[in-house]
Amino acid sequence: MVSCLISVVRSQLVFSSKEYKINCGSYERGYEFFGSKKDGRREQSMPAVLSIVGRSKVGKTTFLEKLVPEIRNRGYRVGTIKHDAHDHFEIDHEGKDTWRHREAGAQAVAISSPTRFALTKTVESELSVDTIVATYFTDEDLVLTEGYKSGSKAKIEICRKELKSEPLCSQADRLVAVVSDFSVTVDVPLFELEDISGVADFIEERFLRKTA
């Protein structure tokens, strides 16, 4: 089975082929998360979607940890989706009440507090990125996925000399840039591994300014 992990800044949604889980930062934010648009900024358009790809252990998560705040500091709302192609992730904790509810056979289990809301639901098959974004990320300006190298979205690939990781993708795979700590021959923009600001400039110019 295939699964993916999805998170939104101040909110989190987790989805797999077996189940998905939603964590919203607040009731008000949770309401917006499911479709409300108080500021009206994106009434007519969907968020831009960009996949951060590369070989296993190349540093995709570390790169995203630096890129997300850089883009947020420019005034954009950012969501992220983590793809788990092996369906190995587990969100609930064995022995907890919600885990016991699910083990008892509940197909959907929710937990609510004054500041957060979470839902785990069994599904029949993995949702497409487009479906996930259209359903749960309508209030974001940009959705960055970690993974989906075989997907149809535009991609920035991370390469590292330590892993001898020449690019896996090409322009035919919708590769739009490469981030690397060594020289790579590519026909797309090449950024140094620590040039987070430069990558953010590229993303803003190519994917965000026309929708902001």
Side-chain angles (χ1 to χ4, degrees):
M1 288 188 176
V2 179
S3 61
C4 60
L5 174 64
I6 308 164
S7 65
V8 179
V9 175
R10 291 194 301 124
S11 309
Q12 184 181 59
L13 166 68
V14 178
F15 167 85
S16 78
S17 54
K18 291 182 178 179
E19 64 185 56
Y20 66 75
K21 181 173 181 177
I22 302 167
N23 294 311
C24 297
S26 68
Y27 288 125
E28 180 180 11
R29 175 61 176 157
Y31 177 69
E32 293 179 5
F33 189 57
F34 284 96
S36 171
K37 291 184 173 295
K38 291 187 176 180
D39 56 16
R41 289 188 307 158
R42 302 190 60 85
E43 290 287 353
Q44 303 301 321
S45 61
M46 294 301 297
V49 181
L50 180 62
S51 294
I52 307 301
V53 302
R55 288 178 169 82
S56 179
K57 307 299 183 182
V58 78
K60 298 185 292 294
T61 301
T62 299
F63 182 76
L64 278 168
E65 285 179 314
K66 299 174 182 178
L67 182 61
V68 168
E70 176 69 28
I71 296 176
R72 279 199 67 196
N73 288 340
R74 300 179 184 216
Y76 298 102
R77 294 185 178 185
V78 183
T80 65
I81 302 174
K82 165 68 179 180
H83 189 222
D84 178 7
H86 305 291
D87 201 12
H88 288 163
F89 79 83
E90 182 59 60
I91 299 301
D92 220 342
H93 300 286
E94 184 174 353
K96 293 293 186 179
D97 294 344
T98 51
W99 179 88
R100 292 169 65 185
H101 293 180
R102 184 160 58 93
E103 288 297 300
Q107 188 169 359
V109 179
I111 184 170
S112 181
S113 80
T115 59
R116 290 181 295 170
F117 173 80
L119 169 69
T120 303
K121 182 176 176 65
T122 301
V123 295
E124 294 299 324
S125 61
E126 182 179 6
L127 299 179
S128 68
V129 172
D130 285 337
T131 298
I132 295 168
V133 172
T135 306
Y136 303 110
F137 289 85
T138 55
D139 200 41
E140 312 311 314
D141 299 301
L142 175 68
V143 175
L144 297 169
T145 81
E146 180 180 335
Y148 292 106
K149 63 177 176 288
S150 299
S152 62
K153 301 304 178 185
K155 301 171 181 68
I156 293 179
E157 183 163 351
I158 311 297
C159 298
R160 287 175 55 202
K161 185 177 182 179
E162 179 183 351
L163 300 179
K164 299 179 181 179
S165 63
E166 292 292 328
L168 295 168
C169 300
S170 67
Q171 286 179 290
D173 305 306
R174 296 199 64 195
L175 182 69
V176 297
V178 170
V179 177
S180 177
D181 62 357
F182 69 103
S183 179
V184 180
T185 302
V186 289
D187 295 324
V188 295
L190 177 64
F191 297 91
E192 294 183 1
L193 192 59
E194 297 302 323
D195 187 11
I196 304 301
S197 178
V199 175
D201 287 343
F202 171 79
I203 292 172
E204 185 174 28
E205 179 65 30
R206 182 155 180 176
F207 296 94
L208 289 172
R209 284 186 177 169
K210 62 184 178 182
T211 61

